[in-house]
């Protein structure tokens, strides 16, 4: 391994958003949110595989945010990161093998859609609004 490859790898890692440890319960989520500067945390619950909360930000903005329990990433539409638009999300969904999108809506810094997966099952999918990666997938009907 060369010094150049080490430097390039280090720069790539430095450009990724800092992620915390897994958040297995509500107490851990609340602690992580307070450490990130959020106050007045309300209605903390699991929804579509993510933690969801209504919060007040340090800048006074009230927001609904989502938190990935696997890595602690916070999905906040007001944190300054650029969000993908619906056309970009539809392209990302197609790249994930999703087709026949029936419903698409932005939900904070995430997108929810109803579509058919590669096996032609009806699914509900939540995608990251920042990069379009799949955060959660659930079949809509057990008989489908």
């Amino acid at each position: 391994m060369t010094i150049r490859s080490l430097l390039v790898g280090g720069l790539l890692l430095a450009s990724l958003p800092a992620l915390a440890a897994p958040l297995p319960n509500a107490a851990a989520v609340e602690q992580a949110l307070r450490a990130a500067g959020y106050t007045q945390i309300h209605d903390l619950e699991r929804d579509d595989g993510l933690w969801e909360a209504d919060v007040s930000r340090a800048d006074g903005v009230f927001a609904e945010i989502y938190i990935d329990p696997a890595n602690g990433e916070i999905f906040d539409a007001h944190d300054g990161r650029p969000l993908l638009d619906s056309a970009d999300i539809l392209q990302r969904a197609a790249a994930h093998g999703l087709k026949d999108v029936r419903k698409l809506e932005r939900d904070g810094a995430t997108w929810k859609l109803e579509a058919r997966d590669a096996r032609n099952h009806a699914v509900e999918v939540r995608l990251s609004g920042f990069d379009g990666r799949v955060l959660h997938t659930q079949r809509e009907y057990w008989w489908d």
Side-chain angles (χ1 to χ4, degrees):
M1 188 174 288
T2 67
I3 293 177
R4 183 172 187 255
S5 64
L6 288 171
L7 288 173
V8 170
L11 289 174
L12 288 174
L13 285 175
S15 68
L16 295 173
L19 301 179
L23 301 172
N25 56 47
V29 174
E30 186 169 344
Q31 182 179 12
L33 290 175
R34 291 198 188 286
Y38 293 97
T39 61
Q40 299 182 25
I41 300 163
H42 301 283
D43 298 328
L44 180 60
E45 64 184 4
R46 288 293 290 257
D47 183 29
D48 294 337
L50 302 173
W51 287 101
E52 174 184 349
D54 295 329
V55 297
S56 292
R57 295 169 35 90
D59 61 6
V61 173
F62 181 79
E64 180 179 64
I65 62 170
Y66 293 89
I67 306 95
D68 188 334
N71 62 20
E73 182 177 3
I74 298 171
F75 294 89
D76 181 347
H78 303 284
D79 72 1
R81 291 188 282 173
L83 290 168
L84 299 173
D85 64 19
S86 59
D88 290 330
I89 285 294
L90 288 172
Q91 286 179 341
R92 304 286 166 82
H96 292 301
L98 299 168
K99 58 190 175 195
D100 301 331
V101 175
R102 296 185 311 280
K103 183 177 179 183
L104 176 68
E105 66 183 1
R106 194 177 125 219
D107 192 8
T110 66
W111 286 85
K112 289 175 65 171
L113 59 87
E114 294 176 6
R116 294 236 169 234
D117 66 12
R119 297 179 65 187
N120 206 34
H121 296 134
V123 291
E124 293 180 359
V125 181
R126 188 176 292 270
L127 301 170
S128 165
F130 301 125
D131 58 17
R133 73 184 179 279
V134 174
L135 301 172
H136 184 260
T137 302
Q138 177 177 320
R139 282 182 64 179
E140 284 195 72
Y141 312 108
W142 64 268
W143 63 85
D144 183 40

